[in-house]
Amino acid sequence: MRNFRRALCSVLAVLVCFSLITAVIVFPYYAWGTYPYQDAKVRKDMAGQFDLLVSSASQGLRAIDPRALDDALGCTSYDLGAPLQTMYGRYLFLKEELDRNPVKTVILELSYDALSRSYNDYGREGSIYQLGRSDNLGLWVEYFFRQVPPADWAHLLYDTMNRGVHTWRQLVAGELSVPKHYETHGFWPGLESTPMPGPENYEKDYHTEALSTVPQEDNLYWLDMCLSLCRERGVRVVMIATPLSEYMLWSTSGFDEILATHRAVSEKWGVPFYDFNLKKDKLERYPEETAYFDQHHLCEASARDFPYDLAEVLMSENPDALFYGSYEEALHARYQAP
């Protein structure tokens, strides 16, 4: 019995030491190196101020500057978006912020892969972002054991520790700057714009790529849970899709099938859905030469313009008149082959 107790104490001591060493290694990554504009401390310190929340993956995160949205709508907003965020991850953060803020409106961004993305698509990297932003131990544990398969636990630890070592090196070298958390309200911009391929490529590259259009049941379930949560709290929900490069819309098939899925959710819950890729003035508002960080995301300057376009739609008496009915209609109406 005495030997067993000694062995048990030795194992516990090793686990405690390992946990402390791991915590020291990863602390600067989670405190300063990762996701600098989505700090859990900011959300906690500013709790009680937000009456509008943006729930999104990276497309909404990089498309909506909450400061411009506040100016356009006279609200106080926060962007809860994260790269590769799952619908379950969105639900957890949305519930947490609804519990501690007087939220009246939720902008729920549905990117083209929001419902079709599986764990194999977002994997360990998305989980690192999600877990790093959790200031609630209960939510951390709930997400970890529900979303991360045991086969990935060791990989997740190794990947996170690598990031921690890299952040320590930046810190020691004086290359790590402390972000201005409170100014951004969750916004993580794509700083530089990248010119997209021109119209001369539209026809030759038409539908040379294909999207996955089959929604995952788990994503549909947690989207319904997000919408149910908002309905229970009496919160207005507006679903949107943010602008993508026109070249991507031409070169990739499947957008109209995804649009049909999003519209079905809209009809089921009686909430509006506005796809800004169908906006009639999209090319004027978001030029291919200057508007995009990459094919999937707006750049910082465009993210300051988009909230005003969103506000225009939300305040319009006839918003449907601002949009085409389908992707095929929009593409061929906005571009006529010479």
Side-chain angles (χ1 to χ4, degrees):
M1 178 64 69
R2 183 175 300 174
N3 290 337
F4 174 77
R5 289 178 178 174
R6 287 179 178 176
L8 180 60
C9 290
S10 297
V11 170
L12 290 175
V14 169
L15 289 175
V16 169
C17 291
F18 178 76
S19 298
L20 290 174
I21 292 171
T22 301
V24 170
I25 291 173
V26 304
F27 173 76
Y29 173 67
Y30 280 135
W32 305 300
T34 184
Y35 221 61
Y37 300 99
Q38 291 282 13
D39 181 58
K41 183 177 185 300
V42 174
R43 288 182 282 119
K44 181 178 289 186
D45 288 350
M46 301 185 75
Q49 300 185 33
F50 303 116
D51 56 7
L52 186 151
L53 298 174
V54 178
S55 178
S56 69
S58 61
Q59 281 82 4
L61 174 64
R62 292 187 183 271
I64 301 174
D65 186 335
R67 295 163 294 188
L69 194 62
D70 293 352
D71 181 63
L73 291 175
C75 59
T76 303
S77 60
Y78 195 91
D79 195 329
L80 296 174
L84 305 173
Q85 189 172 37
T86 64
M87 295 306 304
Y88 176 59
R90 294 198 203 189
Y91 172 80
L92 291 179
F93 282 129
L94 187 60
K95 184 178 185 303
E96 182 178 42
E97 297 309 326
L98 287 177
D99 285 342
R100 58 189 184 188
N101 288 284
V103 179
K104 298 177 181 177
T105 303
V106 168
I107 305 297
L108 207 164
E109 184 270 331
L110 293 178
S111 58
Y112 60 89
D113 58 352
L115 298 179
S116 62
R117 183 188 297 135
S118 68
Y119 180 83
N120 290 333
D121 299 316
Y122 66 84
R124 295 185 292 273
E125 185 176 359
S127 295
I128 287 173
Y129 287 126
Q130 183 77 24
L131 294 169
R133 294 174 53 221
S134 298
D135 64 346
N136 180 307
L137 180 60
L139 292 182
W140 194 99
V141 171
E142 185 177 351
Y143 180 90
F144 183 83
F145 286 104
R146 183 187 287 269
Q147 287 276 276
V148 183
D152 268 354
W153 290 358
H155 293 291
L156 188 67
L157 176 63
Y158 176 79
D159 196 347
T160 304
M161 291 183 72
N162 267 347
R163 293 165 187 254
V165 170
H166 176 70
T167 307
W168 268 114
R169 288 173 177 169
Q170 288 181 305
L171 190 63
V172 171
E175 299 172 353
L176 191 67
S177 59
V178 178
K180 298 179 180 180
H181 299 291
Y182 294 91
E183 293 184 3
T184 62
H185 284 204
F187 178 50
W188 190 5
L191 299 177
E192 301 289 336
S193 64
T194 303
M196 297 293 108
E200 67 275 6
N201 298 283
Y202 290 174
E203 290 193 345
K204 73 179 181 67
D205 292 343
Y206 180 70
H207 285 187
T208 53
E209 303 289 337
L211 295 173
S212 174
T213 61
V214 179
Q216 300 285 319
E217 289 299 321
D218 190 59
N219 291 330
L220 289 171
Y221 174 79
W222 288 109
L223 174 57
D224 280 350
M225 289 294 288
C226 288
L227 292 166
S228 177
L229 180 66
C230 291
R231 178 177 288 181
E232 292 171 2
R233 308 293 180 92
V235 175
R236 176 195 184 193
V237 177
V238 178
M239 300 194 305
I240 67 168
T242 59
L244 304 169
S245 162
E246 193 79 354
Y247 173 75
M248 182 178 179
L249 305 185
W250 273 91
S251 63
T252 311
S253 65
F255 281 108
D256 274 319
E257 290 84 349
I258 294 169
L259 176 64
T261 298
H262 292 170
R263 283 177 170 167
V265 174
S266 171
E267 292 173 7
K268 173 184 176 181
W269 286 92
V271 300
F273 172 65
Y274 303 115
D275 190 332
F276 282 81
N277 292 292
L278 305 181
K279 196 118 184 317
K280 292 180 178 178
D281 62 351
K282 174 178 179 282
L283 294 183
E284 291 77 21
R285 294 293 294 157
Y286 305 101
E288 291 286 280
E289 298 80 12
T290 59
Y292 296 94
F293 175 71
D294 57 28
Q295 292 187 28
H296 314 265
H297 306 93
L298 293 175
C299 69
E300 183 176 21
S302 296
R304 290 195 295 266
D305 294 332
F306 180 74
Y308 293 97
D309 290 348
L310 175 58
E312 175 195 16
V313 170
L314 295 183
M315 295 186 291
S316 172
E317 294 183 359
N318 185 20
D320 291 340
L322 303 173
F323 298 87
Y324 292 110
S326 71
Y327 276 82
E328 283 301 294
E329 179 189 4
L331 293 179
H332 292 94
R334 289 195 294 247
Y335 169 73
Q336 299 294 327

